[in-house]
Amino acid sequence: MKQKKSTRKASSNLTHIYLNDKNITQISNIYPTKRIQVLYLHNNQISRIEKLGAFTHLTHLYLQWNNIRKIENLDGLKNLKQLYLGYNKITRMENLESLKKLEQVHIERQLLDGSARFEFDEECVKALANHLKVLNIKKLRLTEMCSLEPLWKLEVLLASENNFKSTEDITPAISALYSLRVLDLQGCLAQKDVHYREKVTAAAGHKLLLLDGKTISQSTRNFIKNFQTIKLEKKRRAAANGEEKSAGKTGNTSKFSVDSSSGSDSVGQVGGGGHHFPATNSLFQLSSRRPAPVQRILRKPVLRSPILMKTMSAHFGDDRLHSRGDFMVRLGSNDFGSGDATAGVMLQGRIMKAELPVFKEKIRTQRKVQSLPSID
């Protein structure tokens, strides 16, 4: 009795079933338990998916390295999260619409005939758009990825060793994958394009972290962003210059009309007001170019006070006085009792002196010369 109870307990607690490498040709009735979550059936000779509807709690299903030709009979696996179907003979990804919790699909490297091409069912892709996060489509001889554009929640796309000839076959679909963080395109011909890495990174957006096994740094993103803005600015300027040239050829450089009815000498009439000028004069031609603006140089007003001039002249003498704007400066070494070059200023009856390097700074901070009254 104790042995029977232990076996029943073990079977009820079973979560993984290993049936790989058993040379199984078809899936027979496997005893399902309520807690089976992972089923290993890889590396066998299975040609058809069947008799798996009872595994309602199954989350992982491994069916790679078999002879399966079609995806079918998976509608009962409502809790399936990861599906592995690589290295089979499947030509179309389909019949996955009912799997609302499916997050990973590995369908890489299908052993197809020479003329057969792998395809994506449109309805299947749209149904997987709200929950699929990982898609492995390595070595399927794909030439474009436009059918994957609805997968806006896809985070990892493994698409190496396909037949993408240029970045134009990749970037439209990549720009639609808003959540893409890891992208692998190693072994594709598109890698030989000029600025391949920059173009793919720019199309993928700011969320892409890993491209072909190499991380994308923030400095690379900033460089790509600046490069794009410069490129757009060059295109805008070229278009503007082209419009200016075309406008100049058509009407902006045309001369005024010539009035030939006023005599033997041909003259041009401006504005229809009776003022006539020679028609051959090049001064009277319309031009779309505006004259360059003249830069105005603002000068500080000079305050000249006669009382201040007389006071400073009497104190320092007239021989070595120099006017600097709104105050008077006298340079010398004997007037202030030092051997160094000094400057002295008489402002409102007070003598101010300082060394030359800091003279202007002290005058600006201690006294507002602009506030001195001007007496005429």
Side-chain angles (χ1 to χ4, degrees):
M1 293 293 291
K2 290 182 179 180
Q3 290 181 353
K4 288 182 179 180
K5 286 183 180 179
S6 62
T7 54
R8 286 180 182 177
K9 208 176 226 185
S11 63
S12 63
N13 293 331
L14 189 64
T15 58
H16 292 58
I17 295 180
Y18 295 88
L19 293 174
N20 55 297
D21 301 299
K22 303 293 184 182
N23 291 325
I24 299 173
T25 56
Q26 62 181 3
I27 302 175
S28 59
N29 292 325
I30 305 171
Y31 178 73
T33 60
K34 294 181 179 180
R35 297 189 179 182
I36 292 295
Q37 296 179 359
V38 183
L39 179 58
Y40 295 95
L41 289 168
H42 60 276
N43 202 11
N44 284 298
Q45 302 296 324
I46 300 170
S47 59
R48 187 180 180 186
I49 303 174
E50 57 183 352
K51 298 179 181 179
L52 294 176
F55 293 90
T56 55
H57 294 276
L58 197 68
T59 59
H60 295 64
L61 178 59
Y62 294 85
L63 286 168
Q64 64 267 37
W65 288 104
N66 281 286
N67 295 324
I68 300 171
R69 295 181 178 273
K70 186 178 181 180
I71 303 175
E72 56 184 349
N73 300 324
L74 294 175
D75 298 339
L77 307 180
K78 301 297 183 181
N79 293 310
L80 191 65
K81 293 182 179 180
Q82 297 184 18
L83 178 61
Y84 295 84
L85 293 169
Y87 298 89
N88 281 283
K89 297 180 180 180
I90 302 170
T91 58
R92 188 179 180 85
M93 192 174 82
E94 57 184 350
N95 299 327
L96 299 175
E97 294 85 354
S98 61
L99 306 180
K100 302 299 182 181
K101 295 184 179 181
L102 191 61
E103 296 179 353
Q104 297 188 24
V105 174
H106 299 263
I107 198 167
E108 76 282 4
R109 202 157 183 155
Q110 298 300 313
L111 307 176
L112 305 178
D113 299 333
S115 59
R117 298 292 179 184
F118 190 86
E119 298 177 353
F120 296 92
D121 183 59
E122 185 177 353
E123 297 299 327
C124 179
V125 173
K126 289 181 179 179
L128 296 174
N130 293 324
H131 46 83
L132 190 65
K133 295 181 179 180
V134 179
L135 180 61
N136 188 352
I137 52 173
K138 292 181 180 179
K139 206 167 185 178
L140 291 179
R141 294 184 291 184
L142 300 174
T143 58
E144 49 86 20
M145 293 192 302
C146 296
S147 55
L148 302 179
E149 292 181 4
L151 301 175
W152 65 278
K153 272 199 172 180
L154 193 68
E155 296 180 1
V156 179
L157 178 59
L158 307 176
S160 60
E161 299 183 56
N162 279 290
N163 296 337
F164 306 127
K165 294 183 180 179
S166 66
T167 53
E168 296 178 357
D169 301 333
I170 304 169
T171 50
I174 291 175
S175 60
L177 304 177
Y178 304 109
S179 303
L180 193 64
R181 296 190 176 185
V182 178
L183 177 61
D184 187 12
L185 296 169
Q186 298 183 63
C188 301
L189 294 176
Q191 283 187 311
K192 297 181 180 179
D193 285 3
V194 180
H195 300 300
Y196 151 79
R197 190 172 179 85
E198 288 78 6
K199 290 178 181 178
V200 175
T201 305
H206 65 282
K207 288 189 176 181
L208 188 65
L209 302 177
L210 199 67
L211 176 60
D212 298 339
K214 298 179 180 179
T215 58
I216 301 173
S217 61
Q218 189 61 36
S219 59
T220 304
R221 297 182 191 279
N222 294 336
F223 172 78
I224 293 170
K225 187 177 180 180
N226 295 334
F227 179 78
Q228 285 182 334
T229 53
I230 292 171
K231 193 174 181 180
L232 291 174
E233 184 65 21
K234 285 184 178 179
K235 286 184 179 180
R236 189 187 65 79
R237 289 182 180 179
N241 292 334
E243 289 179 0
E244 281 188 7
K245 288 181 180 179
S246 62
K249 288 181 180 179
T250 54
N252 289 342
T253 58
S254 62
K255 296 181 181 180
F256 287 92
S257 61
V258 178
D259 187 9
S260 59
S261 62
S262 60
S264 59
D265 296 332
S266 61
V267 292
Q269 187 174 0
V270 181
H275 299 282
H276 298 275
F277 299 95
T280 56
N281 194 347
S282 61
L283 293 174
F284 301 97
Q285 295 181 4
L286 293 177
S287 177
S288 61
R289 296 182 178 179
R290 296 182 178 179
V294 180
Q295 186 177 4
R296 298 179 61 185
I297 301 175
L298 301 178
R299 300 182 181 274
K300 192 174 180 180
V302 178
L303 301 176
R304 300 184 182 277
S305 174
I307 296 176
L308 181 62
M309 295 282 288
K310 290 180 182 179
T311 305
M312 295 179 67
S313 177
H315 187 79
F316 295 112
D318 295 332
D319 54 345
R320 299 176 67 184
L321 279 173
H322 302 279
S323 175
R324 293 189 179 181
D326 49 356
F327 49 83
M328 305 298 296
V329 179
R330 182 177 183 272
L331 301 177
S333 58
N334 299 325
D335 296 324
F336 297 99
S338 61
D340 298 330
T342 57
V345 177
M346 171 70 72
L347 288 179
Q348 296 181 355
R350 295 180 61 184
I351 299 175
M352 299 180 63
K353 66 176 183 177
E355 296 181 359
L356 283 178
V358 296
F359 170 71
K360 291 184 178 180
E361 201 65 28
K362 283 191 175 182
I363 292 298
R364 289 173 184 170
T365 56
Q366 294 180 6
R367 297 287 182 182
K368 291 184 180 180
V369 182
Q370 292 85 348
S371 63
L372 290 175
S374 59
I375 303 173
D376 297 333

